[in-house]
Amino acid sequence: MTLLEIDLKKLEYNYFSLRKKLNPRTKMIGVVKSNAYGSLSGPIAQKLVELGIESLAVAYASEGIQLREYGIQIPILVFYPPIESFKEIILHNLEPVLYSKRSWKEFVHQVSSHKKTAYPIHIKYNTGLNRIGFSTQDVEWVIEELKNSPFEVKTIYTHLAQTESPKPDIKTENQISLFKEIMQKHDQSVKQKQEYHLLNTSGVFNYPEYHLDWVRVGIGLYGFANHRSWNESLQPIAQLKTNITQIHEIKTGETVGYNSGWKAAKNTRIAILPIGHADGFSRPYGNGKGWVLINGRKAPVVGNVCMDMVMVEIDDINCAEGAEVIVIGEGSRADEMAENAGTISYELLSAMGNRIKRVLKK
Ligand SMILES: *Cc1c(COP(=O)(O)O)cnc(C)c1O
């Protein structure tokens, strides 16, 4: 059976490892979107709360509601809320990120009609990623609107396009300098100190001089930091394990899988595993791009990945039906396999399907 083992001790290790890098006054937003990067958002969020994290973030309201229902009471940012989810955000005491004039006006309307005041919000500016965010020309508009708004601005931020690129990086420098101007304008407009943030996990490692008031860490909590040497201070929290369902002896010239995706060049053995593209072990891991570990040795995927199963060549690896298989774990890193298949650890992890049973190691 395929199991995803999630080690909360390693989460704790990563949390403190990241925390130690921060300026002592910098607070942490733990990003637990997409089921905590494919793991298990409730227990992960709960553990982060116990460790003392100041805030959490999800992408969409439904994910925040799930956490509230799990009993999480600390602030939860919603990074990408469509306007249709604003009502639910208020009902569950979530903190939306406002990113456009349209989202601003609609949230003013919703907050007012719920008769709320000083509702916590976050403001996002687009400084060059060109995803969501107020344009840099909107700062004056935002500042003016804030004067009579029913909001309490918790934080103001932007998102960088390439924090893992080697320094100096012109694009990042441009984004930071635009954000500094935004910070200055906001600071000048009010008496109380405003709180700002810029950085994701790679940014925490690459830009220690810009930790500011908050950082938004996701992948780092789960053990990856997009750079070999940064990875050294972290431990992957997830191990994906399964067992061999069946073994076949294959003769030279026989083919394996749909569309005869692979043809044996010699007599060999293959193992059939109960995981497929419906579980997030996607087609790009087929045809030797992906692998598993059996008895400490790498067995490459042969042929195309099926929806529910995958075939690997075990050749002379000493193993029998039922043997344990490590898909992702020590010796088979998610970031390495992802890179080999032309994607990134974020996608491999967050795509882990619901059919995979999660087991917590405490
Ligand atoms: C997902 C996300 C993050 C976390 O990024 P990591 O690279 O996983 O640390 C930070 N900020 C925003 C806006 C995000 O969407």
Side-chain angles (χ1 to χ4, degrees), residues 31 33 37 79-80 124 131 157 159 163 199-202 216-220 226 346:
V31 182
K33 61 193 182 193
Y37 289 45
F79 279 151
Y80 307 110
K124 177 158 192 197
R131 203 168 57 184
Y157 75 103
H159 197 42
T163 49
L199 303 177
N200 65 349
T201 299
S202 309
R216 307 182 299 272
V217 290
I219 199 90
N226 309 321
Y346 294 75

Side-chain angles (χ1 to χ4, degrees), residues 114-314:
H114 283 83
K115 306 212 168 9
K116 304 254 180 191
T117 51
Y119 195 94
I121 59 135
H122 303 260
I123 303 172
K124 177 158 192 197
Y125 286 97
N126 170 26
T127 55
L129 177 63
N130 288 322
R131 203 168 57 184
I132 69 168
F134 279 104
S135 114
T136 51
Q137 282 111 55
D138 292 335
V139 189
E140 283 77 14
W141 185 90
V142 170
I143 287 171
E144 195 53 38
E145 288 293 312
L146 267 175
K147 289 179 184 157
N148 295 305
S149 81
F151 301 153
E152 179 202 348
V153 179
K154 294 279 293 275
T155 75
I156 299 167
Y157 75 103
T158 191
H159 197 42
L160 301 172
Q162 48 200 42
T163 49
E164 70 275 25
S165 301
K167 282 158 102 177
D169 181 74
I170 304 278
K171 170 82 187 178
T172 306
E173 281 170 16
N174 282 341
Q175 284 195 266
I176 292 175
S177 89
L178 283 173
F179 191 61
K180 279 183 177 165
E181 286 172 33
I182 292 167
M183 287 167 60
Q184 218 170 32
K185 287 179 184 168
H186 272 283
D187 278 339
Q188 281 164 1
S189 74
V190 282
K191 286 192 203 75
Q192 65 276 37
K193 200 193 156 320
Q194 303 290 291
E195 303 204 346
Y196 301 101
H197 44 107
L198 275 169
L199 303 177
N200 65 349
T201 299
S202 309
V204 166
F205 286 86
N206 214 2
Y207 293 90
E209 66 278 32
Y210 289 114
H211 287 172
L212 306 182
D213 302 298
W214 293 84
V215 292
R216 307 182 299 272
V217 290
I219 199 90
L221 291 170
Y222 311 109
F224 298 92
N226 309 321
H227 194 292
R228 204 169 283 262
S229 70
W230 302 339
N231 286 339
E232 281 167 12
S233 57
L234 303 170
Q235 300 178 353
I237 70 162
Q239 275 219 89
L240 181 60
K241 290 179 175 172
T242 190
N243 300 88
I244 298 177
T245 302
Q246 195 174 12
I247 291 178
H248 293 304
E249 309 277 341
I250 299 285
K251 293 210 164 53
T252 310
E254 275 195 80
T255 66
V256 172
Y258 284 126
N259 308 106
S260 305
W262 184 81
K263 193 171 182 178
K266 59 172 189 188
N267 292 347
T268 187
R269 292 156 73 224
I270 62 164
I272 320 303
L273 311 178
I275 183 171
H277 62 71
D279 304 296
F281 197 85
S282 309
R283 302 241 315 168
Y285 304 111
N287 298 299
K289 292 284 173 30
W291 57 74
V292 299
L293 282 186
I294 302 174
N295 213 350
R297 286 176 60 192
K298 268 189 183 176
V301 175
V302 291
N304 295 312
V305 177
C306 313
M307 189 185 291
D308 315 302
M309 304 214 93
V310 65
M311 285 71 105
V312 297
E313 183 178 17
I314 50 178

Side-chain angles (χ1 to χ4, degrees), residues 31-47:
V31 182
V32 293
K33 61 193 182 193
S34 192
N35 203 19
Y37 289 45
S39 60
L40 202 54
S41 62
I44 295 274
Q46 182 59 45
K47 180 74 183 178

